[in-house]
Amino acid sequence: MEWLNETVVTEFVFLGFSSLAGLQRLLFAVFLLVYVFTLGTNALIISTIVLDRALHTPMYFFLSVLSCSETCYTFVIVPKMLLDLLAQKKAITFLGCATQMFTFLFLGCSHSFLLAAMGYDRYVAICNPLRYTVLMGRGVCLGLVAAACACGFAVAQIITSLVFHLPFRSSNQLHHFFCDISPVLKLASHHSHISQIVIFMLCALVLVVPLLLILVSYVHIISAILQFPSTLGRYKAFSTCASHLIVVIVHYGCASFIYLRPKSNYSSSQDILISVSYTILTPLFNPMIYSLRNKEFKSALQRLVQRTIPLLRLQRMNLTHKEVIQMQSFNRTTAVGQFILVGFSSLGKLQLLLFAIFLLLYLTILMANATIMTVIRISRTLHTPMYGFLFILSFSESCYTFVIIPQLLVHLLSATKTISFVACAAQLFFFLGFACTNCFLIAVMGYDRYVAICHPLRYMLIMNKRLGLGLVSLSGATGFLIAFVATNLICDMPFCGPNRVNHYFCDMAPVIKLACTDTHVKELALFSLSILVIMVPFLLIIISYGFIVNTILKIPSAEGKRKAFATCVSHLTVVFVHYGCASIIYLRPKSKSASDKDQLVAVTYTVVTPLLNPLVYSLRNQEVKTALRRVMGMSLASKIS
């Protein structure tokens, strides 16, 4: 990390659209509209491919991965750009700039290799149609996607390291709206020609090699198509490639103009214009091209709409769930109208004792979280970002337990432990929504600790109210979006046999076990989502604490080190308990699933962990304890008076 010691610049200022001061609000409205439309169209493509079995082919698998990649790709740049269009100071920290460049390059490079994989898929489909399903099996498709991501990750890591290894001692004004390679390199105090050559070679590798592979694939494709006897056959074969070819030309054309031209031809205004096309417009056009030019996809979308609209009409008519199921039986192959939650049925008379214990724990959780929220709300000394996030976490934990424990308590006293199909889906959605939100919130709290310890003088400036609300909103939106996708994946499965859920609430694995179909693809998708929700925030927390520990060790006094560590202990305790339990349940191999152990671990993260969180933050936090005493003192004084 020597380059950090010789770097004077601690932040960069984006000058992107500064010259268009009077038009920035208009640009904000236009880009926001385009961004929302891009997210909507990509979400529609992914949902249609997942829900329609006719599209469960390698071609559409790659398209769903590409849409997911493009959604993440725009998410790295556009939200920050939208904020900057409304902000006076359009700054980004040195670390934030490096992170943005790495993530952007990783997704951009993966995108290039994915397009090459899609070209190979078209080659196999047209040149070897009889062996298509054999050659493009599930293992091959997953391997190609994994290879594309691995290559993108490696290239992005090398380029980012080479760029930010350079010293930045002079200007910090970046003539762009995000941290791209050329604008950042221009600000370096001196350049290494070897580094620049390596970066250029890597850019050439990422753009030229996949493009050559695509060209070779299409030479074979065209040769095979020209041998077709009928004109209609040729037309159909060409039509399956048209969408891919258009995307290839747009993607590689824009990228080549930016990254493969001579340095002497660099122009910031031209770069900004081209960058807008490949960061905002291209991700908008790609899903439109694949949907509007593809008859299979349009047919699948029509089927999905035809299945959805009648259901909405029936719900408007206030029909019961049973009637809706009967009238929609031709669209849905599930015969299960309700599930039986087996839970703790095997414990017999001990269920009364469990009822008393869980009731006591639940009341304690509600009281503890209510106390923390009240103290933070009343005590002005706790009106800081750290305690604002703690307030939101306590509220989320209260909602999280409310989704599961009341029903658990009812079932411990009742003979019939049933839950309707819709109620099970609703419970799964809200449980996953609050759980995922908590994961992201804990990562946000880790970032808060990083800013407080590593940038104490600028803490209140960086962690302002707008950023705090933005991070909380982003955590909630991402958490519930992932919950929506996961719940849709599970509830779309046919349930036509047993209905006994070997758990005390509707969790993913126990419900999936009851599906009467092959669930491997959807389990893989759910496993990928679990990795995203658990590992990505956890890695961000680890990175934050790497910088925190490095900063604390530089504090000269032992007392200063102790105080700095003390502000992190509560958060770290919650991190290890939360992510530890979640990893055991959701990131282990399917073969190691054991329902009894699952229920035991589930009790820890649905009952015990929400109890420990407020206790950890109150008993181990001197500021909270002091504020609590003041609030109690105020309450006693008001009663006496």
Side-chain angles (χ1 to χ4, degrees), residues 357-396:
I357 293 170
F358 287 148
L359 178 61
L360 181 64
L361 289 174
Y362 183 50
L363 292 174
T364 308
I365 289 167
L366 293 180
M367 288 296 295
N369 280 307
T371 302
I372 280 186
M373 288 191 286
T374 304
V375 170
I376 292 172
R377 182 72 182 86
I378 293 174
S379 182
R380 290 180 178 250
T381 58
L382 301 185
H383 290 183
T384 62
M386 172 181 168
Y387 294 106
F389 293 131
L390 178 56
F391 181 95
I392 300 297
L393 184 67
S394 295
F395 176 76
S396 179

Side-chain angles (χ1 to χ4, degrees), residues 304-315 317 324 328 330-331:
L304 186 64
V305 171
Q306 286 167 2
R307 284 164 53 188
T308 306
I309 290 175
L311 184 60
L312 293 173
R313 286 175 180 168
L314 289 170
Q315 288 173 341
M317 293 164 61
V324 172
Q328 290 293 310
F330 63 91
N331 270 335

Side-chain angles (χ1 to χ4, degrees), residues 323-615:
E323 290 170 325
V324 172
I325 289 292
Q326 289 173 347
M327 296 181 73
Q328 290 293 310
S329 59
F330 63 91
N331 270 335
R332 189 176 191 163
T333 57
T334 182
V336 174
Q338 63 180 14
F339 294 109
I340 298 170
L341 298 173
V342 177
F344 301 103
S345 300
S346 60
L347 298 178
K349 292 182 179 179
L350 285 175
Q351 289 183 79
L352 289 173
L353 176 61
L354 285 176
F355 172 82
I357 293 170
F358 287 148
L359 178 61
L360 181 64
L361 289 174
Y362 183 50
L363 292 174
T364 308
I365 289 167
L366 293 180
M367 288 296 295
N369 280 307
T371 302
I372 280 186
M373 288 191 286
T374 304
V375 170
I376 292 172
R377 182 72 182 86
I378 293 174
S379 182
R380 290 180 178 250
T381 58
L382 301 185
H383 290 183
T384 62
M386 172 181 168
Y387 294 106
F389 293 131
L390 178 56
F391 181 95
I392 300 297
L393 184 67
S394 295
F395 176 76
S396 179
E397 292 270 11
S398 300
C399 298
Y400 171 79
T401 54
F402 180 74
V403 173
I404 296 166
I405 301 179
Q407 187 194 56
L408 168 63
L409 294 172
V410 171
H411 283 176
L412 285 170
L413 296 180
S414 63
T416 57
K417 308 174 191 299
T418 59
I419 184 171
S420 70
F421 188 90
V422 171
C424 184
Q427 185 184 58
L428 180 62
F429 169 71
F430 284 107
F431 161 70
L432 291 175
F434 285 115
C436 296
T437 299
N438 288 349
C439 279
F440 294 120
L441 274 175
I442 292 171
V444 167
M445 294 170 80
Y447 175 70
D448 172 77
R449 290 300 81 210
Y450 155 73
V451 177
I453 293 171
C454 299
H455 303 282
L457 299 178
R458 300 176 61 234
Y459 175 61
M460 295 306 295
L461 182 64
I462 295 173
M463 295 301 295
N464 53 53
K465 187 176 181 180
R466 188 176 68 177
L467 179 62
L469 290 173
L471 290 171
V472 169
S473 302
L474 185 61
S475 299
T478 309
F480 278 92
L481 176 63
I482 290 170
F484 178 76
V485 173
T487 307
N488 268 315
L489 285 172
I490 293 170
C491 293
D492 188 58
M493 297 178 188
F495 296 91
C496 49
N499 67 338
R500 294 171 66 84
V501 178
N502 205 8
H503 214 297
Y504 61 88
F505 72 97
C506 291
D507 202 358
M508 291 196 292
V511 174
I512 290 172
K513 281 184 180 179
L514 302 181
C516 50
T517 185
D518 181 18
T519 61
H520 285 92
V521 174
K522 291 190 177 181
E523 282 186 285
L524 180 64
L526 292 168
F527 182 73
S528 302
L529 286 173
S530 300
I531 291 175
L532 171 70
V533 171
I534 296 171
M535 294 308 298
V536 172
F538 186 67
L539 287 173
L540 292 174
I541 291 169
I542 295 297
I543 292 168
S544 296
Y545 274 101
F547 286 104
I548 287 169
V549 171
N550 184 50
T551 302
I552 290 175
L553 292 176
K554 293 176 182 178
I555 297 174
S557 67
E559 181 64 19
K561 290 178 182 177
R562 188 193 68 78
K563 285 183 178 179
F565 271 120
T567 64
C568 303
V569 171
S570 302
H571 180 254
L572 274 174
T573 307
V574 171
V575 165
F576 286 119
V577 174
H578 182 88
Y579 288 99
C581 293
S583 299
I584 291 170
I585 293 292
Y586 299 108
L587 297 185
R588 64 173 175 195
K590 185 183 176 185
S591 58
K592 295 187 179 178
S593 177
S595 58
D596 294 335
K597 287 182 181 178
D598 275 9
Q599 290 190 56
L600 186 63
V601 177
V603 166
T604 63
Y605 71 78
T606 57
V607 182
V608 179
T609 304
L611 172 66
L612 289 177
N613 288 0
L615 293 176

Side-chain angles (χ1 to χ4, degrees), residues 66-119:
L66 187 72
S67 294
C68 183
S69 171
E70 291 213 324
T71 303
C72 299
Y73 172 80
T74 54
F75 180 73
V76 174
I77 296 166
V78 181
K80 170 65 178 166
M81 182 189 70
L82 291 172
L83 285 174
D84 287 341
L85 284 170
L86 297 180
Q88 292 294 325
K89 187 179 181 182
K90 311 173 193 302
I92 187 171
T93 63
F94 190 87
L95 178 63
C97 187
T99 305
Q100 188 185 55
M101 180 182 289
F102 168 76
T103 314
F104 161 71
L105 289 174
F106 164 52
L107 293 167
C109 296
S110 301
H111 200 83
S112 287
F113 293 118
L114 271 174
L115 288 173
M118 293 173 80

Side-chain angles (χ1 to χ4, degrees), residues 202-336:
L202 286 171
C203 292
L205 171 73
V206 169
L207 294 172
V208 176
V209 172
L211 184 59
L212 286 175
L213 292 173
I214 291 169
L215 290 175
V216 170
S217 297
Y218 273 102
V219 167
H220 287 283
I221 288 169
I222 292 168
S223 177
I225 290 174
L226 292 176
Q227 293 174 16
F228 287 6
S230 68
T231 307
L232 182 61
R234 291 178 188 175
Y235 170 76
K236 285 184 176 179
F238 271 121
S239 66
T240 63
C241 303
S243 302
H244 180 252
L245 270 174
I246 294 169
V247 172
V248 164
I249 292 167
V250 173
H251 176 83
Y252 288 101
C254 293
S256 299
F257 180 83
I258 293 289
Y259 299 108
L260 297 185
R261 65 181 172 183
K263 187 183 175 183
S264 57
N265 291 346
Y266 177 80
S267 167
S268 59
S269 57
Q270 275 187 347
D271 269 18
I272 290 171
L273 189 61
I274 299 295
S275 297
V276 166
S277 70
Y278 72 78
T279 57
I280 299 174
L281 299 181
T282 305
L284 170 67
F285 291 137
N286 288 359
M288 292 174 67
I289 290 166
Y290 274 106
S291 57
L292 295 177
R293 292 190 60 86
N294 192 304
K295 286 186 178 179
E296 275 186 316
F297 183 85
K298 285 191 283 187
S299 300
L301 186 59
Q302 286 169 359
R303 286 194 296 272
L304 186 64
V305 171
Q306 286 167 2
R307 284 164 53 188
T308 306
I309 290 175
L311 184 60
L312 293 173
R313 286 175 180 168
L314 289 170
Q315 288 173 341
R316 285 177 188 172
M317 293 164 61
N318 294 320
L319 294 177
T320 64
H321 172 63
K322 186 176 179 181
E323 290 170 325
V324 172
I325 289 292
Q326 289 173 347
M327 296 181 73
Q328 290 293 310
S329 59
F330 63 91
N331 270 335
R332 189 176 191 163
T333 57
T334 182
V336 174

